[in-house]
Amino acid sequence: MEHSLIPVPVSVEAAVGTWFPLTPATRVLAPPGHARVGELLAAALRAATGYPLPVADAGDPGGGAIRLRLAEDAALGEEGYQLEVAEASVTLRARTPAGLFRGAQTVRQLLPTAPPWRLPGGRVGDRPRFAWRGVALDVARHFFTVEEVERYLDLLALYKLNVLHLHLTDDQGWRIAVDGWPRLATVGGATQVGGGPGGCYTREDWSRIVGYARDRHVTVVPEVDVPGHSNAALAAYAELNCDGRAREPYTGTGVGFSCLDVEAPATWRFLDEVLGELADRTPGPWLHVGGDEVELLGVERYAAFVQRVVRLVARHGKQAVGWQETAAADDPPPVLQLWKPGAAPAAARRAARRGSRLLLSPADRVYLDMKYGPATRLGLDWAGHVEVRDAYQWEPSALEGSGEPGTGAPEDRDGVDEGAVLGVEAALWSETLRDLGDAEEMTLPRLPGIAEVAWSPAGTRDWDGYRRRLAAHGPRWSAMGLRWHRSRQVPWPA
Ligand code: TNX
């Protein structure tokens, strides 16, 4: 089939000349007990076509339907699906509701942006390459409301991403209310970069975010960044500071100046209660503990802190994720997120050989806060300019050894196995972004390329084909009311 699907599926076979027409009588049939996935597909198709698209149980016979089925087929994996579009019906099969939801995004993308409302005939077989396909959204430097986070989740879901990592705390703001530590919200949450009101998610807000994500089969990973990037907490509670004196709120964009008192009992009571509460209120298996850019501790005190916080997370029944610096601990977190441009550091490669998995976020490829070019209004440029092609054309398994000496052992110069790579995560830091429109403009059109790196099979990268597929998404974003950057690398329709 002629398509502009992103991420490109594992296999696509066209039935040329065959079409499934959507009509005012078309129904969506969902598997018993899984109406939600049918509802979400129907809602997206309604928004485009204006047809009623009622959702019924899959037991319901009859043609003219888009039928969603759960099928025991091990080859489909956790998120794979098969789609068959024929003249009389559409059949989407998966082993799990998550697989049906991913396949539903393919159906949405196959629908044109204007009538006639019909789907091209053929078959698609598909499953993801990497298990973790995410975006980190910084709600600390500038606050994003629950509604904004939901709109951002819609965008992730359309490109088959499955993790939303929320950077909830930093020097400029603390964005999650915690019982027993009310000043985190009232003081820590009260400002943001450049001043302004800031904000903080209540218990109900957090439930709404994780619920909205769960419906879309997206796992929320909350990050509490410690021991650095912590001025908002240090302003809220004097006892977390080494000198016992509360800090002033911070609205600038510097880094490296804040650090919890890593030996104080108050700090460990604080971390235990904050991480414990977040663990209880978050359905996914991970808690991100940050650990980046700590400049005020020696190597040993830093490593000891990370060690202790990783164990604390495990005691609360979750697995810790840490930025790449946390590889310095004797027993590093189960997931290490690499962010610095260039190669994997020796410590991270060593940790990977001992069982930690690597999450790849190379800043010169996937940092959505980097400017597209010198004329970009928003964003930063410390990792260079990141154009659409840079974000798309790179290979996660080609992550090389950095050539740095490490321990001097020969294996420290090796690259990493693909098996050590858990996935790929884009990051949108919000020092320069004031609202969702700004976030969209930095996200589109780069995020779809990153989603394709994370989902599509190795060896399918083809810039010329990709930019033509991507061009067809511009009118979709406009129709959805999204703001996007008209990169000159892409042949957008006039
Ligand atoms: C580095 S990535 C940071 C963030 C900044 C970002 C800006 C990382 C672990 N730390 O604190 O917001 O650069 O691009």
Side-chain angles (χ1 to χ4, degrees):
M1 63 186 71
E2 253 307 320
H3 74 78
S4 51
L5 294 170
I6 301 177
V8 72
V10 172
S11 73
V12 177
E13 279 168 51
V16 180
T18 301
W19 299 89
F20 173 82
L22 274 87
T23 73
T26 306
R27 291 163 310 139
V28 173
L29 305 181
H34 297 284
R36 194 76 190 117
V37 61
E39 278 298 343
L40 290 171
L41 174 58
L45 299 177
R46 276 176 211 137
T49 62
Y51 296 151
L53 287 141
V55 178
D57 207 84
D60 180 340
I66 301 175
R67 186 183 293 271
L68 276 48
R69 289 205 145 129
L70 289 171
E72 228 358 282
D73 177 353
L76 292 171
E78 285 305 306
E79 293 178 280
Y81 65 92
Q82 274 174 350
L83 175 68
E84 196 181 330
V85 179
E87 225 166 84
S89 63
V90 173
T91 309
L92 177 61
R93 287 189 194 80
R95 258 190 63 220
T96 64
L100 290 176
F101 185 80
R102 304 295 171 239
Q105 307 316 307
T106 297
V107 174
R108 287 177 67 188
Q109 288 193 16
L110 286 173
L111 192 72
T113 38
W117 301 118
R118 56 185 195 173
L119 300 171
R123 289 165 180 274
V124 178
D126 207 7
R127 58 182 293 171
R129 178 178 178 191
F130 292 110
W132 182 314
R133 306 176 307 281
V135 184
L137 177 65
D138 174 10
V139 296
R141 270 55 173 272
H142 279 96
F143 183 65
F144 289 78
T145 64
V146 173
E147 289 73 20
E148 288 179 316
V149 172
E150 290 179 347
R151 295 290 77 74
Y152 205 71
L153 273 160
D154 289 340
L155 192 48
L156 254 77
L158 179 59
Y159 292 101
K160 301 188 173 74
L161 297 169
N162 65 356
V163 175
L164 176 66
H165 162 181
L166 288 172
H167 183 75
L168 289 172
T169 72
D170 213 300
D171 292 318
Q172 300 86 348
W174 184 283
R175 308 298 179 207
I176 181 89
V178 179
D179 293 345
W181 298 82
R183 289 171 61 82
L184 291 173
T186 56
V187 177
T191 191
Q192 58 187 8
V193 167
C200 192
Y201 304 124
T202 63
R203 186 175 270 273
E204 294 68 38
D205 290 340
W206 188 248
S207 306
R208 273 179 61 196
I209 291 171
V210 299
Y212 194 90
R214 184 161 27 193
D215 271 354
R216 285 146 188 86
H217 302 277
V218 172
T219 301
V220 174
V221 178
E223 178 185 353
V224 170
D225 196 354
V226 288
H229 287 276
S230 53
N231 191 76
L234 296 171
Y237 288 98
E239 61 265 42
L240 304 177
N241 290 272
C242 294
D243 60 8
R245 298 220 305 266
R247 293 295 175 267
E248 289 300 315
Y250 182 70
T251 60
T253 58
V255 295
F257 62 88
S258 58
C259 195
L260 300 174
D261 181 345
V262 295
E263 271 103 35
T267 296
W268 290 99
R269 191 167 61 80
F270 168 78
L271 289 171
D272 187 34
E273 294 180 14
V274 167
L275 295 173
E277 203 174 305
L278 213 43
D280 286 347
R281 289 161 48 187
T282 304
W286 296 292
L287 285 189
H288 202 307
V289 294
D292 57 317
E293 300 180 310
V294 178
E295 295 171 12
L296 301 178
L297 291 177
V299 181
E300 278 173 25
R301 290 173 78 212
Y302 173 76
F305 174 87
V306 171
Q307 191 63 76
R308 197 166 160 189
V309 85
V310 167
R311 294 207 178 120
L312 184 57
V313 168
R315 270 213 302 286
H316 287 293
K318 301 286 184 184
Q319 295 183 47
V321 183
W323 294 108
Q324 66 183 65
E325 290 93 325
T326 60
D330 288 339
D331 212 356
V335 179
L336 290 168
Q337 186 166 14
L338 307 189
W339 62 279
K340 299 189 183 184
R349 280 175 284 134
R350 256 193 321 275
R353 282 195 299 276
R354 292 175 37 201
S356 291
R357 307 284 305 279
L358 304 178
L359 178 58
L360 306 186
S361 302
D364 52 344
R365 299 292 185 176
V366 306
Y367 268 28
L368 299 172
D369 64 320
M370 291 299 119
K371 290 177 182 292
Y372 293 91
T376 310
R377 186 173 61 91
L378 301 167
L380 306 175
D381 61 5
W382 65 264
H385 296 144
V386 178
E387 250 295 0
V388 176
R389 185 173 187 160
D390 303 308
Y392 168 74
Q393 204 160 51
W394 62 285
E395 171 43 47
S397 70
L399 195 72
E400 287 162 25
S402 62
E404 55 169 301
T407 59
E411 67 272 20
D412 274 352
R413 286 187 292 277
D414 294 348
V416 293
D417 285 348
E418 171 147 355
V421 177
L422 179 57
V424 172
E425 189 172 280
L428 184 54
W429 302 99
S430 63
E431 285 94 334
T432 65
L433 314 179
R434 279 142 319 177
D435 55 27
L436 184 66
D438 285 354
E440 289 168 356
E441 185 176 325
M442 298 307 275
T443 301
L444 297 172
R446 291 181 288 196
L447 186 65
I450 300 164
E452 182 151 316
V453 170
W455 176 286
S456 302
T460 52
R461 218 85 73 239
D462 159 23
W463 168 245
D464 253 357
Y466 174 72
R467 60 207 277 269
R468 272 183 269 122
R469 277 185 285 126
L470 183 61
H473 290 240
R476 290 175 183 274
W477 303 329
S478 297
M480 292 162 78
L482 298 165
R483 222 162 86 192
W484 53 282
H485 168 74
R486 272 187 95 86
S487 163
R488 283 202 260 161
Q489 294 190 329
V490 182
W492 307 109

PDB file of all heavy atoms in Angstrom, residues 141 170 229 292-293 323 339 367 369-370 380 382 429 431, ligand 1:
ATOM      1  N   ARG A 141      11.406  23.190  34.959  1.00  0.00           N
ATOM      2  CA  ARG A 141      11.905  24.529  34.576  1.00  0.00           C
ATOM      3  C   ARG A 141      10.737  25.436  34.210  1.00  0.00           C
ATOM      4  O   ARG A 141      10.718  26.609  34.537  1.00  0.00           O
ATOM      5  CB  ARG A 141      12.893  24.417  33.427  1.00  0.00           C
ATOM      6  CG  ARG A 141      14.334  24.248  33.850  1.00  0.00           C
ATOM      7  CD  ARG A 141      14.573  23.064  34.797  1.00  0.00           C
ATOM      8  NE  ARG A 141      15.981  22.836  35.053  1.00  0.00           N
ATOM      9  CZ  ARG A 141      16.748  22.063  34.292  1.00  0.00           C
ATOM     10  NH1 ARG A 141      16.240  21.394  33.274  1.00  0.00           N
ATOM     11  NH2 ARG A 141      18.034  21.935  34.568  1.00  0.00           N
ATOM     12  N   ASP A 170      13.542  20.104  40.020  1.00  0.00           N
ATOM     13  CA  ASP A 170      14.841  20.669  39.658  1.00  0.00           C
ATOM     14  C   ASP A 170      15.070  21.904  40.515  1.00  0.00           C
ATOM     15  O   ASP A 170      14.293  22.185  41.427  1.00  0.00           O
ATOM     16  CB  ASP A 170      14.902  20.966  38.142  1.00  0.00           C
ATOM     17  CG  ASP A 170      16.310  20.778  37.595  1.00  0.00           C
ATOM     18  OD1 ASP A 170      17.229  21.468  38.073  1.00  0.00           O
ATOM     19  OD2 ASP A 170      16.505  19.942  36.696  1.00  0.00           O
ATOM     20  N   HIS A 229      20.567  19.445  41.426  1.00  0.00           N
ATOM     21  CA  HIS A 229      19.332  19.949  40.802  1.00  0.00           C
ATOM     22  C   HIS A 229      18.200  20.015  41.829  1.00  0.00           C
ATOM     23  O   HIS A 229      17.055  19.667  41.529  1.00  0.00           O
ATOM     24  CB  HIS A 229      18.920  19.055  39.627  1.00  0.00           C
ATOM     25  CG  HIS A 229      19.792  19.216  38.418  1.00  0.00           C
ATOM     26  ND1 HIS A 229      19.599  20.204  37.487  1.00  0.00           N
ATOM     27  CD2 HIS A 229      20.881  18.513  37.993  1.00  0.00           C
ATOM     28  CE1 HIS A 229      20.522  20.101  36.518  1.00  0.00           C
ATOM     29  NE2 HIS A 229      21.318  19.091  36.808  1.00  0.00           N
ATOM     30  N   ASP A 292      22.381  13.555  37.897  1.00  0.00           N
ATOM     31  CA  ASP A 292      23.246  14.228  36.919  1.00  0.00           C
ATOM     32  C   ASP A 292      23.879  15.490  37.496  1.00  0.00           C
ATOM     33  O   ASP A 292      23.347  16.096  38.428  1.00  0.00           O
ATOM     34  CB  ASP A 292      22.436  14.598  35.667  1.00  0.00           C
ATOM     35  CG  ASP A 292      21.236  15.486  35.996  1.00  0.00           C
ATOM     36  OD1 ASP A 292      20.545  15.193  36.992  1.00  0.00           O
ATOM     37  OD2 ASP A 292      21.005  16.473  35.276  1.00  0.00           O
ATOM     38  N   GLU A 293      25.007  15.843  36.915  1.00  0.00           N
ATOM     39  CA  GLU A 293      25.645  17.143  37.121  1.00  0.00           C
ATOM     40  C   GLU A 293      25.805  17.534  38.589  1.00  0.00           C
ATOM     41  O   GLU A 293      25.488  18.653  38.977  1.00  0.00           O
ATOM     42  CB  GLU A 293      24.859  18.232  36.376  1.00  0.00           C
ATOM     43  CG  GLU A 293      24.788  17.976  34.886  1.00  0.00           C
ATOM     44  CD  GLU A 293      24.023  19.046  34.124  1.00  0.00           C
ATOM     45  OE1 GLU A 293      22.891  19.388  34.536  1.00  0.00           O
ATOM     46  OE2 GLU A 293      24.539  19.527  33.112  1.00  0.00           O
ATOM     47  N   TRP A 323      20.695   8.940  35.563  1.00  0.00           N
ATOM     48  CA  TRP A 323      21.483   9.493  34.456  1.00  0.00           C
ATOM     49  C   TRP A 323      22.870   8.851  34.468  1.00  0.00           C
ATOM     50  O   TRP A 323      23.279   8.265  35.470  1.00  0.00           O
ATOM     51  CB  TRP A 323      21.577  11.018  34.593  1.00  0.00           C
ATOM     52  CG  TRP A 323      20.249  11.711  34.420  1.00  0.00           C
ATOM     53  CD1 TRP A 323      19.498  12.296  35.389  1.00  0.00           C
ATOM     54  CD2 TRP A 323      19.514  11.874  33.185  1.00  0.00           C
ATOM     55  NE1 TRP A 323      18.337  12.821  34.841  1.00  0.00           N
ATOM     56  CE2 TRP A 323      18.332  12.585  33.499  1.00  0.00           C
ATOM     57  CE3 TRP A 323      19.743  11.498  31.859  1.00  0.00           C
ATOM     58  CZ2 TRP A 323      17.373  12.910  32.531  1.00  0.00           C
ATOM     59  CZ3 TRP A 323      18.794  11.833  30.898  1.00  0.00           C
ATOM     60  CH2 TRP A 323      17.621  12.531  31.235  1.00  0.00           C
ATOM     61  N   TRP A 339      23.261  10.445  28.209  1.00  0.00           N
ATOM     62  CA  TRP A 339      22.768  11.696  27.632  1.00  0.00           C
ATOM     63  C   TRP A 339      23.837  12.538  26.974  1.00  0.00           C
ATOM     64  O   TRP A 339      23.545  13.364  26.126  1.00  0.00           O
ATOM     65  CB  TRP A 339      22.026  12.529  28.678  1.00  0.00           C
ATOM     66  CG  TRP A 339      22.817  12.988  29.860  1.00  0.00           C
ATOM     67  CD1 TRP A 339      23.113  12.256  30.976  1.00  0.00           C
ATOM     68  CD2 TRP A 339      23.413  14.273  30.060  1.00  0.00           C
ATOM     69  NE1 TRP A 339      23.848  13.007  31.864  1.00  0.00           N
ATOM     70  CE2 TRP A 339      24.047  14.258  31.331  1.00  0.00           C
ATOM     71  CE3 TRP A 339      23.476  15.449  29.309  1.00  0.00           C
ATOM     72  CZ2 TRP A 339      24.729  15.354  31.849  1.00  0.00           C
ATOM     73  CZ3 TRP A 339      24.149  16.549  29.823  1.00  0.00           C
ATOM     74  CH2 TRP A 339      24.766  16.495  31.089  1.00  0.00           C
ATOM     75  N   TYR A 367      17.901  15.445  21.843  1.00  0.00           N
ATOM     76  CA  TYR A 367      17.481  16.523  22.733  1.00  0.00           C
ATOM     77  C   TYR A 367      16.624  17.504  21.943  1.00  0.00           C
ATOM     78  O   TYR A 367      17.108  18.260  21.112  1.00  0.00           O
ATOM     79  CB  TYR A 367      18.690  17.217  23.381  1.00  0.00           C
ATOM     80  CG  TYR A 367      19.050  16.594  24.711  1.00  0.00           C
ATOM     81  CD1 TYR A 367      18.770  15.244  24.952  1.00  0.00           C
ATOM     82  CD2 TYR A 367      19.629  17.330  25.739  1.00  0.00           C
ATOM     83  CE1 TYR A 367      19.073  14.662  26.172  1.00  0.00           C
ATOM     84  CE2 TYR A 367      19.935  16.755  26.957  1.00  0.00           C
ATOM     85  CZ  TYR A 367      19.651  15.416  27.174  1.00  0.00           C
ATOM     86  OH  TYR A 367      19.947  14.850  28.385  1.00  0.00           O
ATOM     87  N   ASP A 369      15.257  20.055  22.939  1.00  0.00           N
ATOM     88  CA  ASP A 369      15.425  21.473  23.294  1.00  0.00           C
ATOM     89  C   ASP A 369      16.605  22.098  22.550  1.00  0.00           C
ATOM     90  O   ASP A 369      16.835  23.300  22.699  1.00  0.00           O
ATOM     91  CB  ASP A 369      15.601  21.653  24.803  1.00  0.00           C
ATOM     92  CG  ASP A 369      16.872  21.012  25.334  1.00  0.00           C
ATOM     93  OD1 ASP A 369      17.213  19.888  24.883  1.00  0.00           O
ATOM     94  OD2 ASP A 369      17.535  21.619  26.193  1.00  0.00           O
ATOM     95  N   MET A 370      17.347  21.307  21.772  1.00  0.00           N
ATOM     96  CA  MET A 370      18.402  21.912  20.966  1.00  0.00           C
ATOM     97  C   MET A 370      17.763  22.631  19.782  1.00  0.00           C
ATOM     98  O   MET A 370      16.788  22.143  19.201  1.00  0.00           O
ATOM     99  CB  MET A 370      19.378  20.843  20.456  1.00  0.00           C
ATOM    100  CG  MET A 370      20.222  20.215  21.552  1.00  0.00           C
ATOM    101  SD  MET A 370      21.262  21.409  22.421  1.00  0.00           S
ATOM    102  CE  MET A 370      20.618  21.239  24.098  1.00  0.00           C
ATOM    103  N   LEU A 380      18.180  25.708  23.199  1.00  0.00           N
ATOM    104  CA  LEU A 380      19.583  25.893  23.573  1.00  0.00           C
ATOM    105  C   LEU A 380      20.446  25.297  22.465  1.00  0.00           C
ATOM    106  O   LEU A 380      19.920  24.694  21.521  1.00  0.00           O
ATOM    107  CB  LEU A 380      19.861  25.161  24.898  1.00  0.00           C
ATOM    108  CG  LEU A 380      18.944  25.513  26.082  1.00  0.00           C
ATOM    109  CD1 LEU A 380      19.267  24.609  27.273  1.00  0.00           C
ATOM    110  CD2 LEU A 380      19.095  26.979  26.469  1.00  0.00           C
ATOM    111  N   TRP A 382      23.932  23.931  23.370  1.00  0.00           N
ATOM    112  CA  TRP A 382      25.202  23.424  23.915  1.00  0.00           C
ATOM    113  C   TRP A 382      25.638  22.100  23.265  1.00  0.00           C
ATOM    114  O   TRP A 382      26.827  21.809  23.208  1.00  0.00           O
ATOM    115  CB  TRP A 382      25.155  23.285  25.443  1.00  0.00           C
ATOM    116  CG  TRP A 382      24.172  22.267  25.954  1.00  0.00           C
ATOM    117  CD1 TRP A 382      22.910  22.504  26.389  1.00  0.00           C
ATOM    118  CD2 TRP A 382      24.374  20.850  26.075  1.00  0.00           C
ATOM    119  NE1 TRP A 382      22.293  21.331  26.762  1.00  0.00           N
ATOM    120  CE2 TRP A 382      23.184  20.304  26.581  1.00  0.00           C
ATOM    121  CE3 TRP A 382      25.445  19.996  25.797  1.00  0.00           C
ATOM    122  CZ2 TRP A 382      23.025  18.928  26.820  1.00  0.00           C
ATOM    123  CZ3 TRP A 382      25.292  18.628  26.031  1.00  0.00           C
ATOM    124  CH2 TRP A 382      24.081  18.114  26.541  1.00  0.00           C
ATOM    125  N   TRP A 429      13.804  19.547  27.417  1.00  0.00           N
ATOM    126  CA  TRP A 429      14.081  20.399  28.589  1.00  0.00           C
ATOM    127  C   TRP A 429      13.420  21.740  28.347  1.00  0.00           C
ATOM    128  O   TRP A 429      13.365  22.216  27.204  1.00  0.00           O
ATOM    129  CB  TRP A 429      15.591  20.527  28.776  1.00  0.00           C
ATOM    130  CG  TRP A 429      16.231  19.187  28.936  1.00  0.00           C
ATOM    131  CD1 TRP A 429      16.868  18.462  27.975  1.00  0.00           C
ATOM    132  CD2 TRP A 429      16.245  18.381  30.117  1.00  0.00           C
ATOM    133  NE1 TRP A 429      17.279  17.255  28.493  1.00  0.00           N
ATOM    134  CE2 TRP A 429      16.912  17.174  29.801  1.00  0.00           C
ATOM    135  CE3 TRP A 429      15.753  18.548  31.420  1.00  0.00           C
ATOM    136  CZ2 TRP A 429      17.099  16.157  30.727  1.00  0.00           C
ATOM    137  CZ3 TRP A 429      15.945  17.537  32.341  1.00  0.00           C
ATOM    138  CH2 TRP A 429      16.614  16.354  31.995  1.00  0.00           C
ATOM    139  N   GLU A 431      13.864  24.987  29.784  1.00  0.00           N
ATOM    140  CA  GLU A 431      14.386  26.299  30.201  1.00  0.00           C
ATOM    141  C   GLU A 431      13.812  27.433  29.353  1.00  0.00           C
ATOM    142  O   GLU A 431      13.526  28.513  29.859  1.00  0.00           O
ATOM    143  CB  GLU A 431      15.917  26.341  30.072  1.00  0.00           C
ATOM    144  CG  GLU A 431      16.675  25.582  31.142  1.00  0.00           C
ATOM    145  CD  GLU A 431      17.008  24.167  30.723  1.00  0.00           C
ATOM    146  OE1 GLU A 431      16.285  23.588  29.870  1.00  0.00           O
ATOM    147  OE2 GLU A 431      17.989  23.624  31.255  1.00  0.00           O
TER     148      GLU A 431
HETATM  149  C1  TNX B   1      21.536  18.942  30.658  1.00  0.00           C
HETATM  150  S1  TNX B   1      20.470  16.087  30.481  1.00  0.00           S
HETATM  151  C2  TNX B   1      20.764  18.574  31.745  1.00  0.00           C
HETATM  152  C3  TNX B   1      19.508  19.310  32.028  1.00  0.00           C
HETATM  153  C4  TNX B   1      19.364  20.524  31.149  1.00  0.00           C
HETATM  154  C5  TNX B   1      19.729  20.158  29.734  1.00  0.00           C
HETATM  155  C6  TNX B   1      19.527  21.277  28.765  1.00  0.00           C
HETATM  156  C7  TNX B   1      20.780  16.212  31.945  1.00  0.00           C
HETATM  157  C8  TNX B   1      20.865  14.981  32.639  1.00  0.00           C
HETATM  158  N1  TNX B   1      20.986  17.442  32.487  1.00  0.00           N
HETATM  159  O1  TNX B   1      19.465  19.681  33.380  1.00  0.00           O
HETATM  160  O2  TNX B   1      18.037  20.962  31.212  1.00  0.00           O
HETATM  161  O3  TNX B   1      21.075  19.754  29.682  1.00  0.00           O
HETATM  162  O4  TNX B   1      19.720  20.851  27.454  1.00  0.00           O
END
